[in-house]
Amino acid sequence: MIKKVEHVALIVHDMNQSIDFYTTFFGFKVRTRGESKIREICFLSQENQPGFEIELIRDLVPQEYAEKGIVNHLAFTVESIETAMVYYKKKGISFLSETPNIAIDGAKTIFFSGPNQELLQLVEPNLKNK
């Protein structure tokens, strides 16, 4: 029944800072941005991932779901985790560990935080298990 992952929604505190982070570091572009009486929303898309978007939500009026809904982390695939770590360190990202971890499927992973302390991850898949 499920065809693909549609998007991930992240609660943010500063919309402009969040848009700047995801566009500058990861090449996302604003597809649409708008505001209602209770929230500001922005959808970000990326040319290399046309079927996936990040939805940024900034509540103008506190919402109950913001306390109940949790996204554990958002992961980005990279070709070489070591190369990506060097690149993003130069851009100012601090990783939560010095070296990548090895996941149960053999993928290399490393975590870092976004501008709203959202947990983000780089993943170098283990192509032998694909």
Side-chain angles (χ1 to χ4, degrees):
M1 299 297 252
I2 295 174
K3 294 182 180 181
K4 64 179 181 74
V5 174
E6 178 67 30
H7 69 269
V8 64
L10 301 173
I11 305 299
V12 302
H13 303 290
D14 184 321
M15 184 63 76
N16 290 329
Q17 179 187 36
S18 297
I19 291 170
D20 184 57
F21 179 81
Y22 287 101
T23 58
T24 300
F25 287 118
F26 304 113
F28 281 87
K29 295 186 182 339
V30 174
R31 179 177 63 80
T32 190
R33 182 178 181 178
E35 193 173 295
S36 71
K37 292 179 181 178
I38 61 169
R39 71 178 56 99
E40 179 182 13
I41 294 176
C42 180
F43 281 95
L44 303 174
S45 61
Q46 190 188 56
E47 188 176 300
N48 295 331
Q49 303 270 343
F52 175 77
E53 294 184 321
I54 297 173
E55 177 185 12
L56 303 175
I57 301 170
R58 183 177 71 88
D59 289 327
L60 304 174
V61 175
Q63 300 294 308
E64 184 179 325
Y65 74 87
E67 294 177 12
K68 293 182 180 177
I70 277 188
V71 173
N72 180 267
H73 67 274
L74 171 61
F76 299 99
T77 300
V78 296
E79 287 184 32
S80 165
I81 202 158
E82 289 83 5
T83 301
M85 287 175 66
V86 169
Y87 175 80
Y88 288 116
K89 279 182 183 178
K90 286 181 183 175
K91 287 188 163 277
I93 286 179
S94 297
F95 293 95
L96 301 182
S97 62
E98 291 297 316
T99 58
N101 297 310
I102 304 298
I104 60 171
D105 64 356
K108 294 180 184 178
T109 67
I110 195 158
F111 286 101
F112 59 102
S113 297
N116 295 279
Q117 299 309 305
E118 64 270 32
L119 189 58
L120 304 172
Q121 182 184 49
L122 298 179
V123 177
E124 178 186 325
N126 179 358
L127 298 179
K128 294 177 185 173
N129 286 341
K130 292 286 176 181

